[in-house]
């Protein structure tokens, strides 16, 4: 069993104001994902959870990079950006990894998207509406986006728990 190494994860203080609380919990869950991937080789990070499923830890990080880009840059800030991985022909391409997909490359893209997400969010108040619209044709406020992203990461960190245990037996965190 490979032990997980711990990235810097700070829980928000229990008496934080709303915005620092939301940002703190989102950052906590972002770094939890990194912990789930730590200590593994690229080959282990590409290992499918339960064949025939192609769900991998690297694919999950790629997916969350795309989710960060979508919610904070495309929806919140209204930027028109090319897709990172997914296409109309293959909407799940973010989860697809090849033998050449590496942690270094994947983490760099994910970290760049989380940094860009923080920068986009900094220009908005919690009640400010997004410049872009969702599929309903309506905007979202930043509070909703933060709450959704915390839910997105928490749910996927549960998936990452199971994949990590399948890959090397490590549990926890």
């Amino acid at each position: 069993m490979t032990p997980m190494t711990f990235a810097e994860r700070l829980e928000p203080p229990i008496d934080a104001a709303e915005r620092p609380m939301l940002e703190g919990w989102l950052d906590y869950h972002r770094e939890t994902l990194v912990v789930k991937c730590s200590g593994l080789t690229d080959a282990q990070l590409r290992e499918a959870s339960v064949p025939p499923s192609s769900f991998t830890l690297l694919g999950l990080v790629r997916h969350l990079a795309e989710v960060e880009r979508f919610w904070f840059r495309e929806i919140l800030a209204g930027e028109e950006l090319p897709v990172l991985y997914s296409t109309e022909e293959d909407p799940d391409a973010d989860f697809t990894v090849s033998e050449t997909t590496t942690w270094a490359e994947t983490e760099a893209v994910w970290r760049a998207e989380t940094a860009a997400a923080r920068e986009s969010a900094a220009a908005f108040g919690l009640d400010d509406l997004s410049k872009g619209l969702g599929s309903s044709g309506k905007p979202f406020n930043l509070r909703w986006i933060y709450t959704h992203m915390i839910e997105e990461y928490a749910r996927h960190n549960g998936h990452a728990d199971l994949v990590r245990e399948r890959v090397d037996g490590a549990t926890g965190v």
Side-chain angles (χ1 to χ4, degrees):
M1 176 171 17
T2 305
M4 285 192 241
T5 57
F6 296 91
E8 183 67 25
R9 291 186 318 154
L10 300 173
E11 288 187 26
I14 60 172
D15 59 352
E18 183 180 15
R19 185 172 184 139
M21 181 80 66
L22 291 169
E23 290 172 346
W25 278 109
L26 180 54
D27 283 339
Y28 177 85
H29 281 291
R30 285 169 171 155
E31 290 309 313
T32 296
L33 180 64
V34 173
V35 169
K36 301 297 176 187
C37 296
S38 68
L40 296 175
T41 66
D42 285 347
Q44 287 173 309
L45 290 165
R46 288 189 297 265
E47 192 173 319
S49 57
V50 182
S53 171
S54 60
F55 191 86
T56 66
L57 288 169
L58 274 181
L60 181 56
V61 175
R62 286 165 48 105
H63 169 70
L64 287 165
E66 199 158 73
V67 169
E68 293 269 1
R69 182 182 189 100
F70 176 76
W71 281 107
F72 287 104
R73 297 178 66 194
E74 294 179 33
I75 295 295
L76 183 64
E79 294 180 46
E80 290 188 31
L81 301 167
V83 295
L84 285 173
Y85 307 109
S86 298
T87 64
E88 276 190 34
E89 299 78 32
D90 188 0
D92 293 326
D94 48 343
F95 286 106
T96 304
V97 298
S98 71
E99 289 299 313
T100 61
T101 306
T102 66
W103 172 249
E105 158 207 336
T106 301
E107 182 187 25
V109 170
W110 176 80
R111 291 230 183 251
E113 288 304 327
T114 59
R118 285 185 192 96
E119 186 177 322
S120 292
F124 289 80
L126 290 177
D127 293 321
D128 291 344
L129 294 177
S130 63
K131 293 181 180 179
L133 305 176
S135 59
S136 66
K138 296 181 181 177
F140 297 84
N141 69 25
L142 178 58
R143 179 182 291 103
W144 189 96
I145 292 171
Y146 275 146
T147 303
H148 172 69
M149 290 299 293
I150 292 166
E151 175 273 331
E152 181 89 12
Y153 272 93
R155 180 168 39 91
H156 284 313
N157 282 335
H159 298 137
D161 280 336
L162 296 172
V163 175
R164 178 64 189 253
E165 184 175 8
R166 165 68 176 81
V167 169
D168 75 345
T171 60
V173 184

PDB file of all heavy atoms in Angstrom, residues 15-41:
ATOM      1  N   ASP A  15     -15.420  30.501  12.271  1.00  0.00           N
ATOM      2  CA  ASP A  15     -16.078  31.796  12.430  1.00  0.00           C
ATOM      3  C   ASP A  15     -15.809  32.744  11.254  1.00  0.00           C
ATOM      4  O   ASP A  15     -15.973  33.952  11.370  1.00  0.00           O
ATOM      5  CB  ASP A  15     -15.656  32.450  13.739  1.00  0.00           C
ATOM      6  CG  ASP A  15     -14.151  32.662  13.833  1.00  0.00           C
ATOM      7  OD1 ASP A  15     -13.404  32.171  12.958  1.00  0.00           O
ATOM      8  OD2 ASP A  15     -13.715  33.319  14.791  1.00  0.00           O
ATOM      9  N   ALA A  16     -15.425  32.189  10.110  1.00  0.00           N
ATOM     10  CA  ALA A  16     -15.139  33.024   8.942  1.00  0.00           C
ATOM     11  C   ALA A  16     -16.426  33.640   8.397  1.00  0.00           C
ATOM     12  O   ALA A  16     -17.514  33.076   8.537  1.00  0.00           O
ATOM     13  CB  ALA A  16     -14.461  32.193   7.854  1.00  0.00           C
ATOM     14  N   ALA A  17     -16.292  34.774   7.760  1.00  0.00           N
ATOM     15  CA  ALA A  17     -17.417  35.390   7.053  1.00  0.00           C
ATOM     16  C   ALA A  17     -17.772  34.512   5.844  1.00  0.00           C
ATOM     17  O   ALA A  17     -17.019  33.606   5.469  1.00  0.00           O
ATOM     18  CB  ALA A  17     -17.039  36.801   6.605  1.00  0.00           C
ATOM     19  N   GLU A  18     -18.900  34.798   5.234  1.00  0.00           N
ATOM     20  CA  GLU A  18     -19.417  33.923   4.184  1.00  0.00           C
ATOM     21  C   GLU A  18     -18.449  33.718   3.017  1.00  0.00           C
ATOM     22  O   GLU A  18     -18.171  32.576   2.633  1.00  0.00           O
ATOM     23  CB  GLU A  18     -20.747  34.463   3.659  1.00  0.00           C
ATOM     24  CG  GLU A  18     -21.366  33.553   2.612  1.00  0.00           C
ATOM     25  CD  GLU A  18     -22.689  34.069   2.083  1.00  0.00           C
ATOM     26  OE1 GLU A  18     -23.022  35.260   2.291  1.00  0.00           O
ATOM     27  OE2 GLU A  18     -23.393  33.280   1.445  1.00  0.00           O
ATOM     28  N   ARG A  19     -17.936  34.775   2.439  1.00  0.00           N
ATOM     29  CA  ARG A  19     -17.080  34.608   1.264  1.00  0.00           C
ATOM     30  C   ARG A  19     -15.798  33.852   1.593  1.00  0.00           C
ATOM     31  O   ARG A  19     -15.455  32.891   0.891  1.00  0.00           O
ATOM     32  CB  ARG A  19     -16.776  35.947   0.606  1.00  0.00           C
ATOM     33  CG  ARG A  19     -15.988  35.743  -0.695  1.00  0.00           C
ATOM     34  CD  ARG A  19     -15.830  37.007  -1.471  1.00  0.00           C
ATOM     35  NE  ARG A  19     -15.170  36.722  -2.725  1.00  0.00           N
ATOM     36  CZ  ARG A  19     -15.511  37.264  -3.869  1.00  0.00           C
ATOM     37  NH1 ARG A  19     -16.508  38.116  -3.934  1.00  0.00           N
ATOM     38  NH2 ARG A  19     -14.847  36.959  -4.968  1.00  0.00           N
ATOM     39  N   PRO A  20     -15.061  34.233   2.648  1.00  0.00           N
ATOM     40  CA  PRO A  20     -13.873  33.441   2.974  1.00  0.00           C
ATOM     41  C   PRO A  20     -14.207  31.990   3.310  1.00  0.00           C
ATOM     42  O   PRO A  20     -13.418  31.093   3.040  1.00  0.00           O
ATOM     43  CB  PRO A  20     -13.263  34.163   4.178  1.00  0.00           C
ATOM     44  CG  PRO A  20     -13.861  35.515   4.213  1.00  0.00           C
ATOM     45  CD  PRO A  20     -15.165  35.432   3.490  1.00  0.00           C
ATOM     46  N   MET A  21     -15.380  31.758   3.879  1.00  0.00           N
ATOM     47  CA  MET A  21     -15.802  30.389   4.182  1.00  0.00           C
ATOM     48  C   MET A  21     -15.996  29.595   2.889  1.00  0.00           C
ATOM     49  O   MET A  21     -15.483  28.486   2.737  1.00  0.00           O
ATOM     50  CB  MET A  21     -17.099  30.401   4.994  1.00  0.00           C
ATOM     51  CG  MET A  21     -17.608  29.021   5.384  1.00  0.00           C
ATOM     52  SD  MET A  21     -16.779  28.325   6.805  1.00  0.00           S
ATOM     53  CE  MET A  21     -17.284  29.430   8.103  1.00  0.00           C
ATOM     54  N   LEU A  22     -16.724  30.172   1.937  1.00  0.00           N
ATOM     55  CA  LEU A  22     -16.960  29.483   0.660  1.00  0.00           C
ATOM     56  C   LEU A  22     -15.651  29.252  -0.091  1.00  0.00           C
ATOM     57  O   LEU A  22     -15.397  28.150  -0.589  1.00  0.00           O
ATOM     58  CB  LEU A  22     -17.943  30.286  -0.199  1.00  0.00           C
ATOM     59  CG  LEU A  22     -19.380  30.342   0.313  1.00  0.00           C
ATOM     60  CD1 LEU A  22     -20.175  31.380  -0.466  1.00  0.00           C
ATOM     61  CD2 LEU A  22     -20.038  28.977   0.254  1.00  0.00           C
ATOM     62  N   GLU A  23     -14.822  30.292  -0.165  1.00  0.00           N
ATOM     63  CA  GLU A  23     -13.539  30.148  -0.865  1.00  0.00           C
ATOM     64  C   GLU A  23     -12.642  29.152  -0.145  1.00  0.00           C
ATOM     65  O   GLU A  23     -11.937  28.365  -0.784  1.00  0.00           O
ATOM     66  CB  GLU A  23     -12.860  31.509  -0.978  1.00  0.00           C
ATOM     67  CG  GLU A  23     -13.571  32.437  -1.937  1.00  0.00           C
ATOM     68  CD  GLU A  23     -13.029  33.858  -1.930  1.00  0.00           C
ATOM     69  OE1 GLU A  23     -12.269  34.245  -1.011  1.00  0.00           O
ATOM     70  OE2 GLU A  23     -13.377  34.602  -2.871  1.00  0.00           O
ATOM     71  N   GLY A  24     -12.664  29.179   1.177  1.00  0.00           N
ATOM     72  CA  GLY A  24     -11.842  28.259   1.956  1.00  0.00           C
ATOM     73  C   GLY A  24     -12.235  26.808   1.748  1.00  0.00           C
ATOM     74  O   GLY A  24     -11.374  25.939   1.585  1.00  0.00           O
ATOM     75  N   TRP A  25     -13.547  26.540   1.769  1.00  0.00           N
ATOM     76  CA  TRP A  25     -13.980  25.156   1.558  1.00  0.00           C
ATOM     77  C   TRP A  25     -13.729  24.691   0.138  1.00  0.00           C
ATOM     78  O   TRP A  25     -13.376  23.535  -0.093  1.00  0.00           O
ATOM     79  CB  TRP A  25     -15.450  24.967   1.952  1.00  0.00           C
ATOM     80  CG  TRP A  25     -15.573  24.771   3.424  1.00  0.00           C
ATOM     81  CD1 TRP A  25     -16.090  25.635   4.332  1.00  0.00           C
ATOM     82  CD2 TRP A  25     -15.123  23.635   4.179  1.00  0.00           C
ATOM     83  NE1 TRP A  25     -15.990  25.110   5.598  1.00  0.00           N
ATOM     84  CE2 TRP A  25     -15.407  23.882   5.531  1.00  0.00           C
ATOM     85  CE3 TRP A  25     -14.501  22.440   3.838  1.00  0.00           C
ATOM     86  CZ2 TRP A  25     -15.093  22.983   6.547  1.00  0.00           C
ATOM     87  CZ3 TRP A  25     -14.193  21.538   4.841  1.00  0.00           C
ATOM     88  CH2 TRP A  25     -14.486  21.812   6.173  1.00  0.00           C
ATOM     89  N   LEU A  26     -13.864  25.590  -0.839  1.00  0.00           N
ATOM     90  CA  LEU A  26     -13.553  25.198  -2.215  1.00  0.00           C
ATOM     91  C   LEU A  26     -12.069  24.876  -2.341  1.00  0.00           C
ATOM     92  O   LEU A  26     -11.697  23.840  -2.913  1.00  0.00           O
ATOM     93  CB  LEU A  26     -13.970  26.292  -3.203  1.00  0.00           C
ATOM     94  CG  LEU A  26     -13.686  26.007  -4.674  1.00  0.00           C
ATOM     95  CD1 LEU A  26     -14.273  24.671  -5.122  1.00  0.00           C
ATOM     96  CD2 LEU A  26     -14.220  27.153  -5.533  1.00  0.00           C
ATOM     97  N   ASP A  27     -11.204  25.717  -1.783  1.00  0.00           N
ATOM     98  CA  ASP A  27      -9.770  25.431  -1.833  1.00  0.00           C
ATOM     99  C   ASP A  27      -9.428  24.147  -1.082  1.00  0.00           C
ATOM    100  O   ASP A  27      -8.566  23.373  -1.524  1.00  0.00           O
ATOM    101  CB  ASP A  27      -8.960  26.606  -1.284  1.00  0.00           C
ATOM    102  CG  ASP A  27      -8.859  27.752  -2.264  1.00  0.00           C
ATOM    103  OD1 ASP A  27      -9.046  27.527  -3.484  1.00  0.00           O
ATOM    104  OD2 ASP A  27      -8.590  28.878  -1.821  1.00  0.00           O
ATOM    105  N   TYR A  28     -10.080  23.899   0.029  1.00  0.00           N
ATOM    106  CA  TYR A  28      -9.857  22.662   0.786  1.00  0.00           C
ATOM    107  C   TYR A  28     -10.185  21.445  -0.088  1.00  0.00           C
ATOM    108  O   TYR A  28      -9.414  20.486  -0.149  1.00  0.00           O
ATOM    109  CB  TYR A  28     -10.720  22.665   2.051  1.00  0.00           C
ATOM    110  CG  TYR A  28     -10.607  21.402   2.854  1.00  0.00           C
ATOM    111  CD1 TYR A  28      -9.574  21.241   3.777  1.00  0.00           C
ATOM    112  CD2 TYR A  28     -11.517  20.364   2.705  1.00  0.00           C
ATOM    113  CE1 TYR A  28      -9.462  20.081   4.521  1.00  0.00           C
ATOM    114  CE2 TYR A  28     -11.410  19.205   3.448  1.00  0.00           C
ATOM    115  CZ  TYR A  28     -10.384  19.062   4.357  1.00  0.00           C
ATOM    116  OH  TYR A  28     -10.273  17.908   5.085  1.00  0.00           O
ATOM    117  N   HIS A  29     -11.303  21.494  -0.775  1.00  0.00           N
ATOM    118  CA  HIS A  29     -11.682  20.364  -1.628  1.00  0.00           C
ATOM    119  C   HIS A  29     -10.788  20.264  -2.864  1.00  0.00           C
ATOM    120  O   HIS A  29     -10.498  19.155  -3.328  1.00  0.00           O
ATOM    121  CB  HIS A  29     -13.157  20.438  -2.012  1.00  0.00           C
ATOM    122  CG  HIS A  29     -14.051  19.959  -0.916  1.00  0.00           C
ATOM    123  ND1 HIS A  29     -14.115  18.645  -0.539  1.00  0.00           N
ATOM    124  CD2 HIS A  29     -14.885  20.626  -0.099  1.00  0.00           C
ATOM    125  CE1 HIS A  29     -14.960  18.518   0.459  1.00  0.00           C
ATOM    126  NE2 HIS A  29     -15.441  19.706   0.756  1.00  0.00           N
ATOM    127  N   ARG A  30     -10.333  21.399  -3.379  1.00  0.00           N
ATOM    128  CA  ARG A  30      -9.382  21.344  -4.492  1.00  0.00           C
ATOM    129  C   ARG A  30      -8.114  20.610  -4.059  1.00  0.00           C
ATOM    130  O   ARG A  30      -7.611  19.734  -4.765  1.00  0.00           O
ATOM    131  CB  ARG A  30      -9.019  22.758  -4.953  1.00  0.00           C
ATOM    132  CG  ARG A  30     -10.094  23.470  -5.754  1.00  0.00           C
ATOM    133  CD  ARG A  30      -9.760  24.933  -5.929  1.00  0.00           C
ATOM    134  NE  ARG A  30     -10.646  25.606  -6.873  1.00  0.00           N
ATOM    135  CZ  ARG A  30     -10.887  26.905  -6.845  1.00  0.00           C
ATOM    136  NH1 ARG A  30     -10.302  27.683  -5.933  1.00  0.00           N
ATOM    137  NH2 ARG A  30     -11.690  27.447  -7.733  1.00  0.00           N
ATOM    138  N   GLU A  31      -7.584  20.966  -2.910  1.00  0.00           N
ATOM    139  CA  GLU A  31      -6.351  20.331  -2.439  1.00  0.00           C
ATOM    140  C   GLU A  31      -6.574  18.884  -2.004  1.00  0.00           C
ATOM    141  O   GLU A  31      -5.657  18.072  -2.067  1.00  0.00           O
ATOM    142  CB  GLU A  31      -5.709  21.160  -1.337  1.00  0.00           C
ATOM    143  CG  GLU A  31      -5.132  22.472  -1.846  1.00  0.00           C
ATOM    144  CD  GLU A  31      -4.198  22.311  -3.054  1.00  0.00           C
ATOM    145  OE1 GLU A  31      -3.307  21.425  -3.030  1.00  0.00           O
ATOM    146  OE2 GLU A  31      -4.351  23.072  -4.028  1.00  0.00           O
ATOM    147  N   THR A  32      -7.787  18.542  -1.588  1.00  0.00           N
ATOM    148  CA  THR A  32      -8.100  17.146  -1.285  1.00  0.00           C
ATOM    149  C   THR A  32      -7.919  16.293  -2.537  1.00  0.00           C
ATOM    150  O   THR A  32      -7.394  15.177  -2.467  1.00  0.00           O
ATOM    151  CB  THR A  32      -9.530  17.010  -0.728  1.00  0.00           C
ATOM    152  OG1 THR A  32      -9.601  17.704   0.523  1.00  0.00           O
ATOM    153  CG2 THR A  32      -9.931  15.560  -0.531  1.00  0.00           C
ATOM    154  N   LEU A  33      -8.317  16.818  -3.680  1.00  0.00           N
ATOM    155  CA  LEU A  33      -8.123  16.086  -4.935  1.00  0.00           C
ATOM    156  C   LEU A  33      -6.646  15.820  -5.183  1.00  0.00           C
ATOM    157  O   LEU A  33      -6.263  14.716  -5.589  1.00  0.00           O
ATOM    158  CB  LEU A  33      -8.735  16.866  -6.098  1.00  0.00           C
ATOM    159  CG  LEU A  33      -8.614  16.224  -7.468  1.00  0.00           C
ATOM    160  CD1 LEU A  33      -9.380  14.901  -7.522  1.00  0.00           C
ATOM    161  CD2 LEU A  33      -9.102  17.183  -8.539  1.00  0.00           C
ATOM    162  N   VAL A  34      -5.803  16.808  -4.909  1.00  0.00           N
ATOM    163  CA  VAL A  34      -4.358  16.627  -5.081  1.00  0.00           C
ATOM    164  C   VAL A  34      -3.855  15.531  -4.138  1.00  0.00           C
ATOM    165  O   VAL A  34      -3.043  14.687  -4.538  1.00  0.00           O
ATOM    166  CB  VAL A  34      -3.602  17.957  -4.841  1.00  0.00           C
ATOM    167  CG1 VAL A  34      -2.095  17.743  -4.858  1.00  0.00           C
ATOM    168  CG2 VAL A  34      -4.012  18.988  -5.883  1.00  0.00           C
ATOM    169  N   VAL A  35      -4.339  15.525  -2.909  1.00  0.00           N
ATOM    170  CA  VAL A  35      -3.939  14.480  -1.952  1.00  0.00           C
ATOM    171  C   VAL A  35      -4.304  13.103  -2.487  1.00  0.00           C
ATOM    172  O   VAL A  35      -3.518  12.163  -2.382  1.00  0.00           O
ATOM    173  CB  VAL A  35      -4.589  14.725  -0.572  1.00  0.00           C
ATOM    174  CG1 VAL A  35      -4.401  13.527   0.351  1.00  0.00           C
ATOM    175  CG2 VAL A  35      -4.029  15.977   0.073  1.00  0.00           C
ATOM    176  N   LYS A  36      -5.474  12.986  -3.078  1.00  0.00           N
ATOM    177  CA  LYS A  36      -5.917  11.687  -3.609  1.00  0.00           C
ATOM    178  C   LYS A  36      -4.998  11.189  -4.726  1.00  0.00           C
ATOM    179  O   LYS A  36      -4.896   9.995  -4.961  1.00  0.00           O
ATOM    180  CB  LYS A  36      -7.349  11.773  -4.138  1.00  0.00           C
ATOM    181  CG  LYS A  36      -8.374  12.190  -3.128  1.00  0.00           C
ATOM    182  CD  LYS A  36      -8.482  11.209  -2.010  1.00  0.00           C
ATOM    183  CE  LYS A  36      -9.457  11.712  -0.966  1.00  0.00           C
ATOM    184  NZ  LYS A  36      -9.464  10.879   0.211  1.00  0.00           N
ATOM    185  N   CYS A  37      -4.324  12.104  -5.392  1.00  0.00           N
ATOM    186  CA  CYS A  37      -3.434  11.738  -6.499  1.00  0.00           C
ATOM    187  C   CYS A  37      -1.980  11.628  -6.077  1.00  0.00           C
ATOM    188  O   CYS A  37      -1.146  11.133  -6.845  1.00  0.00           O
ATOM    189  CB  CYS A  37      -3.556  12.775  -7.620  1.00  0.00           C
ATOM    190  SG  CYS A  37      -5.198  12.854  -8.373  1.00  0.00           S
ATOM    191  N   SER A  38      -1.657  12.069  -4.882  1.00  0.00           N
ATOM    192  CA  SER A  38      -0.252  12.143  -4.469  1.00  0.00           C
ATOM    193  C   SER A  38       0.356  10.766  -4.234  1.00  0.00           C
ATOM    194  O   SER A  38      -0.326   9.826  -3.834  1.00  0.00           O
ATOM    195  CB  SER A  38      -0.124  12.996  -3.206  1.00  0.00           C
ATOM    196  OG  SER A  38      -0.724  12.345  -2.113  1.00  0.00           O
ATOM    197  N   GLY A  39       1.628  10.685  -4.545  1.00  0.00           N
ATOM    198  CA  GLY A  39       2.376   9.455  -4.301  1.00  0.00           C
ATOM    199  C   GLY A  39       2.180   8.371  -5.330  1.00  0.00           C
ATOM    200  O   GLY A  39       2.718   7.271  -5.182  1.00  0.00           O
ATOM    201  N   LEU A  40       1.424   8.642  -6.372  1.00  0.00           N
ATOM    202  CA  LEU A  40       1.184   7.640  -7.420  1.00  0.00           C
ATOM    203  C   LEU A  40       2.002   7.959  -8.662  1.00  0.00           C
ATOM    204  O   LEU A  40       2.289   9.125  -8.949  1.00  0.00           O
ATOM    205  CB  LEU A  40      -0.306   7.595  -7.786  1.00  0.00           C
ATOM    206  CG  LEU A  40      -1.267   7.146  -6.694  1.00  0.00           C
ATOM    207  CD1 LEU A  40      -2.710   7.266  -7.183  1.00  0.00           C
ATOM    208  CD2 LEU A  40      -0.964   5.735  -6.234  1.00  0.00           C
ATOM    209  N   THR A  41       2.342   6.941  -9.402  1.00  0.00           N
ATOM    210  CA  THR A  41       3.026   7.124 -10.680  1.00  0.00           C
ATOM    211  C   THR A  41       2.012   7.549 -11.739  1.00  0.00           C
ATOM    212  O   THR A  41       0.798   7.401 -11.548  1.00  0.00           O
ATOM    213  CB  THR A  41       3.690   5.814 -11.129  1.00  0.00           C
ATOM    214  OG1 THR A  41       2.642   4.854 -11.407  1.00  0.00           O
ATOM    215  CG2 THR A  41       4.645   5.264 -10.077  1.00  0.00           C
TER     216      THR A  41
END
